[in-house]
Amino acid sequence: MAFQLSRIMRPDDANVAGNVHGGTILKMIEEAGAIISTRHCNSQNGERCVAALARVERTDFLSPMCIGEVAHVSAEITYTSKHSVEVQVNVMSENILTGAKKLTNKATLWYVPLSLKNVDKVLEVPPVVYSRQEQEEEGRKRYEAQKLERMETKWRNGDIVQPVLNPEPNTVSYSQSSLIHLVGPSDCTLHGFVHGGVTMKLMDEVAGIVAARHCKTNIVTASVDAINFHDKIRKGCVITISGRMTFTSNKSMEIEVLVDADPVVDSSQKRYRAASAFFTYVSLSQEGRSLPVPQLVPETEDEKKRFEEGKGRYLQMKAKRQGHAEPQP
């Protein structure tokens, strides 16, 4: 089963340099994933449902997209477990003046089907037919790996971002930022909870503000590490999206983004962590060339620990890219 949507990029989709916001692309990716997974989960007779985003695997922004180009987002279901759907999404940009096309993004998303009658009820997923047995085995390995990572991330979710008075430049406190958003009907699905794409777009906006404050140049999203959605956000909640820098290499910045939901209309429920992710940004000159990044100065023991953890993720991904780049014997 496959699905494609297309849209021309408008000025309000882009930053001051004309590059389309990473959050805009993430929102389109999620829309395509939600449509194809909801269609599949309702392909058999039974209780009707809507597919809710549970996780987005690491997503690399391979090439910038500009105003006036057309984004072609194609989605395909590659694996199903009893209660989840894996969707692979590719994004191509098209210059409609020349016809030139290029791959800009590849992403993997996981969805779960929630009953229209009861938002807390997860339904079973109709199985897909695989052309090769190896496809099912490979998919099962990916499923188990992401399930384990989601559990590990949940244990790290006690952190909160606290404001600091008169912070010094290049410190974590200097660039950390927060955005507060009241969830309205236009943000929500049929269930009355927030679209995953809306949350990702807000997360990218905050991460972009942190990066811009730190280096004071034009910045673009280079990649997004796995985004985990820990709990649903209902209509009427006030959400706080907080971002802080965790690590800098010579030419990149890692920013941790946390989403907390406060159900202000329901006094029986306390504030909770709804989503978390790591975004990587790069600094660009006015000509679009990569620039060196001011080095982050961690001050507290927690900041130093997060810096070393970020360095580990950076070196691991760097080694992985170099391994893929090596010629095959």
Side-chain angles (χ1 to χ4, degrees), residues 181-184 233-239 261-265 272:
H181 179 77
L182 175 63
V183 176
I233 304 172
R234 296 179 185 276
K235 181 173 62 179
C237 281
V238 172
I239 55 175
D262 189 359
V264 290
V265 295
Y272 59 92

Side-chain angles (χ1 to χ4, degrees), residues 22-151:
T24 300
I25 297 170
L26 288 171
K27 191 168 184 285
M28 290 190 294
I29 287 172
E30 197 278 329
E31 286 173 358
I35 291 170
I36 192 172
S37 52
T38 297
R39 277 182 178 171
H40 176 75
C41 292
N42 288 282
S43 60
Q44 295 182 358
N45 292 330
E47 195 170 340
R48 295 306 173 192
C49 63
V50 171
L53 183 63
R55 176 178 165 91
V56 181
E57 302 288 1
R58 179 182 173 87
T59 304
D60 289 303
F61 289 73
L62 307 173
S63 180
M65 195 180 299
C66 301
I67 296 170
E69 291 184 329
V70 174
H72 299 286
V73 186
S74 57
E76 181 181 8
I77 292 175
T78 48
Y79 177 75
T80 57
S81 69
K82 186 177 180 180
H83 295 294
S84 63
V85 181
E86 181 192 52
V87 181
Q88 301 275 359
V89 181
N90 289 337
V91 183
M92 300 286 295
S93 67
E94 177 192 4
N95 184 321
I96 54 177
L97 301 179
T98 65
K101 292 183 178 180
K102 58 186 176 183
L103 180 67
T104 62
N105 293 81
K106 299 176 77 173
T108 302
L109 303 91
W110 292 88
Y111 289 83
V112 292
L114 303 180
S115 167
L116 281 175
K117 296 178 181 177
N118 179 3
V119 71
D120 296 316
K121 182 181 179 182
V122 179
L123 302 181
E124 290 192 14
V125 176
V128 293
V129 178
Y130 303 97
S131 58
R132 293 180 296 107
Q133 186 178 353
E134 292 83 2
Q135 287 179 319
E136 184 174 8
E137 293 171 355
E138 291 164 0
R140 187 179 296 111
K141 289 178 182 178
R142 294 193 299 271
Y143 168 75
E144 294 296 339
Q146 65 86 26
K147 189 176 179 181
L148 181 62
E149 286 182 19
R150 276 175 55 78
M151 293 297 293

